[in-house]
Amino acid sequence: MTCSRMRDEPPAYEETTGSSSTAIPGDNKTQLQDEDTRSKYGLISFSGYDRVRLMRFPESIVALVSETLQRHWPKGIQKVKAYYESTEFKLRGNPFEHGDDDEKVALRNAILGLLDALAREGWGVHPAAGGLGRIGNYKSLGQKDSLIFKRQAPQQLSWMCISFDSDDLMHLINAPPELALSLVAVFGDRIKNCNQDLVTGAFEVKFQSKLWAKYSEEGAVLSRVAILDVLQCLEGQGFTLCSSLDIDYGNGGEVYKSSGETWFCCR
């Protein structure tokens, strides 16, 4: 699977922020920048089909996020602007809604890239809010999950994610081979087959039963038992569940049509 790049280059962060028609007025903007410099917390919010919003991060981190998104999102950034008390990145394509499987994989890799870049700069996901769900009744406006970060000592970590997809699939992205082998050993005959995509490197597990789509009390229990087994394997390989995000509400994709939140893990 491949993701084609747009021919035109995405706008640089400095170019787009300087020309925004919704820029914060002078006095308020200075005040907000001062608050951002002092704040111990920052937030990344995912919204609509294609928006990533940053709140309370210093300008250096906003620029870092811009560079990271351009590096990891194949279609690039369409526009950057001030949006009330946030900086909003509008991505090309529809990564949070109607994207195809290639975009689903690319989006997960982009979030892994953001988590890694921020950790290296001393911003770690807050342990009590690794995946901040609904705040207010804004679903009709496309508001999705958010991540809260807190200033900490810089860390160099290994990142991977697990997505629970379609009716019976589980995907490991950027995971080490030993984790995949551990999962195969633990799930045993509950697995129908497994394979690794030679292009993306993603490891796919297909279960014997439609684990994520059983409309019965039994299915509701067995799917959660499977989650406990996944956690056991993660811990056995030294990984910690850092964040659990619903980034597309199950819209778009086929093989990667999500049936639950995506887990982002580190060690």
Side-chain angles (χ1 to χ4, degrees), residues 19-214:
S19 60
S20 171
S21 60
T22 57
I24 303 170
D27 291 342
N28 290 340
K29 184 174 182 180
T30 300
Q31 180 181 355
L32 288 173
Q33 287 176 339
D34 290 341
E35 290 175 356
D36 291 350
T37 302
R38 294 194 302 266
S39 178
K40 293 182 179 179
Y41 298 95
L43 184 146
I44 294 181
S45 173
F46 305 100
S47 183
Y49 296 167
D50 52 10
R51 313 298 170 94
V52 178
R53 293 173 182 153
L54 273 63
M55 304 173 197
R56 292 287 177 89
F57 285 106
E59 286 296 310
S60 61
I61 297 299
V62 177
L64 175 65
V65 168
S66 177
E67 295 167 5
T68 303
L69 288 173
Q70 290 184 34
R71 185 182 313 117
H72 290 281
W73 178 243
K75 293 188 175 181
I77 298 171
Q78 181 174 331
K79 186 178 181 181
V80 185
K81 69 176 183 179
Y83 185 80
Y84 296 100
E85 296 187 24
S86 73
T87 299
E88 178 182 275
F89 295 88
K90 176 177 171 59
L91 305 179
R92 288 194 174 99
N94 300 301
F96 303 133
E97 288 288 345
H98 307 297
D100 58 22
D101 286 332
D102 289 348
E103 288 187 320
K104 298 298 183 185
V105 176
L107 176 60
R108 287 154 175 76
N109 277 317
I111 294 175
L112 288 172
L114 289 174
L115 291 168
D116 181 56
L118 267 67
R120 290 171 183 267
E121 291 298 316
W123 288 85
V125 176
H126 194 286
L132 193 63
R134 185 167 67 97
I135 302 178
N137 296 312
Y138 299 111
K139 186 175 181 180
S140 62
L141 299 178
Q143 189 63 45
K144 296 178 172 60
D145 283 3
S146 302
L147 283 168
I148 292 180
F149 292 82
K150 183 179 181 180
R151 289 183 189 266
Q152 61 178 25
Q155 290 182 293
Q156 187 170 340
L157 302 168
S158 175
W159 293 89
M160 54 82 61
C161 72
I162 300 178
S163 60
F164 309 96
D165 301 314
S166 190
D167 291 340
D168 54 4
L169 299 175
M170 179 170 63
H171 292 103
L172 282 66
I173 297 175
N174 204 42
E178 57 268 25
L179 176 59
L181 292 174
S182 175
L183 285 166
V184 170
V186 168
F187 281 99
D189 58 9
R190 285 178 286 175
I191 294 176
K192 184 175 183 178
N193 57 59
C194 53
N195 63 80
Q196 186 170 25
D197 190 304
L198 297 179
V199 176
T200 65
F203 187 83
E204 179 181 276
V205 173
K206 183 177 180 65
F207 294 101
Q208 291 281 4
S209 59
K210 294 185 177 181
L211 199 58
W212 319 128
K214 282 190 174 180

Side-chain angles (χ1 to χ4, degrees), residues 211 214-225:
L211 199 58
K214 282 190 174 180
Y215 299 101
S216 68
E217 293 182 3
E218 177 191 19
V221 172
L222 293 181
S223 61
R224 284 153 177 79
V225 169

